[in-house]
Amino acid sequence: TESKNRHGGNLQTRSSELGSAATGSSLTTVLPASSTVKKSKVLSSESREELAKQPKETKEERRAQIDGRHRYLISRLADGIDLSEQQVEEIIISDDKFQLIEQFFSPCGLKKLLFFYQDVLQQKSNASLRPDGSTNNLPQKNLFITMGSTEDFTGTCAFFLRTSDEVITASNVSQEVNFGMFDCTNGNILHGLEFFLSQIMIPALKSQQNWGAVKEGLKNSQIQEFLYSVDKFVGTLSSSRQNIEDKIQLKKVDIDVYVKNLQNPSDYITAG
């Protein structure tokens, strides 16, 4: 039998190796069928145990890599999503995309690190088939690392952004990494973006005292123009969202009733 671990590696059991080696041998005809089946079951059990151990070893290896940088991410996620730090840590080290965190910490690494927290369909292992051949899938809240381009966004996005190309260390992670959350419950992206900008980003910008090289701060004309542009964008976004939500549904009209009585050009001109 062949088993596939979650990272895509193939493990071939000893039973299949022995079966290949014994092809054409007299042992095949001497041994009773029941003995062969029993041996196969024993070997399959050993293979399953080895396969079950590998993910555990991988998780423990990742757990050993956890340092102050990871702890910073974990604490931010736990606070924002209302999970315990232990839960978040267990989820992160079990994620197939764990390596993205290391790429985010690396010098000149990824500029963003995204986490989705949303309902994901979970299939029960003992679920019976429905009459139409489908199975019972239950939605369950899941936190997972994502690139943001392959999964549909229907819940909450927690994001970390780098402010420079420097390597992220335990001592500078709080200065070099910004954290934020974006709510898109029920897939309402425009409403989530409008809320994020109007209720979080704009108030934060308008209360900011330090604008780096711009000594005048909020009194600087360029800063004022920038804030005005952001305000204007949010207004346009809000208007567009409302237009979409209150969109006009055009009713299909049967024009045959009006056209069948048109006989000559003057009738068409009158109808127009």
Side-chain angles (χ1 to χ4, degrees), residues 164-227:
S164 72
D165 290 332
E166 295 183 14
V167 60
I168 304 300
T169 65
S171 59
N172 70 5
V173 62
S174 59
Q175 289 79 36
E176 297 293 335
V177 176
N178 293 325
F179 172 71
M181 296 187 65
F182 182 75
D183 184 27
C184 182
T185 305
N186 300 322
N188 197 338
I189 296 179
L190 291 181
H191 187 275
L193 179 59
E194 179 187 344
F195 179 86
F196 176 73
L197 292 175
S198 63
Q199 303 298 319
I200 299 175
M201 292 303 298
I202 291 180
L205 290 172
K206 289 183 176 180
S207 63
Q208 182 168 309
Q209 300 297 323
N210 184 8
W211 287 85
V214 182
K215 302 302 181 181
E216 298 174 343
L218 293 174
K219 296 180 180 180
N220 182 274
S221 60
Q222 291 182 328
I223 298 297
Q224 292 177 359
E225 183 179 352
F226 166 71
L227 294 177

Side-chain angles (χ1 to χ4, degrees), residues 26-95:
S26 60
L27 289 176
T28 306
T29 58
V30 173
L31 290 176
S34 59
S35 299
T36 305
V37 171
K38 183 176 181 181
K39 182 65 174 177
S40 177
K41 287 183 178 179
V42 171
L43 292 173
S44 297
S45 176
E46 291 174 354
S47 177
R48 284 196 299 270
E49 290 179 2
E50 182 180 356
L51 182 61
K53 189 195 307 182
Q54 283 196 354
K56 184 176 180 181
E57 291 175 348
T58 302
K59 287 173 61 175
E60 294 308 315
E61 290 172 359
R62 292 175 174 177
R63 198 188 306 276
Q65 298 175 26
I66 298 296
D67 57 25
R69 302 170 300 172
H70 300 82
R71 293 294 176 197
Y72 177 82
L73 304 187
I74 290 171
S75 64
R76 299 285 82 76
L77 289 170
D79 290 341
I81 301 177
D82 196 25
L83 293 174
S84 70
E85 293 190 10
Q86 291 76 15
Q87 288 175 309
V88 175
E89 177 180 329
E90 196 66 27
I91 291 170
I92 286 178
I93 64 175
S94 303
D95 200 295

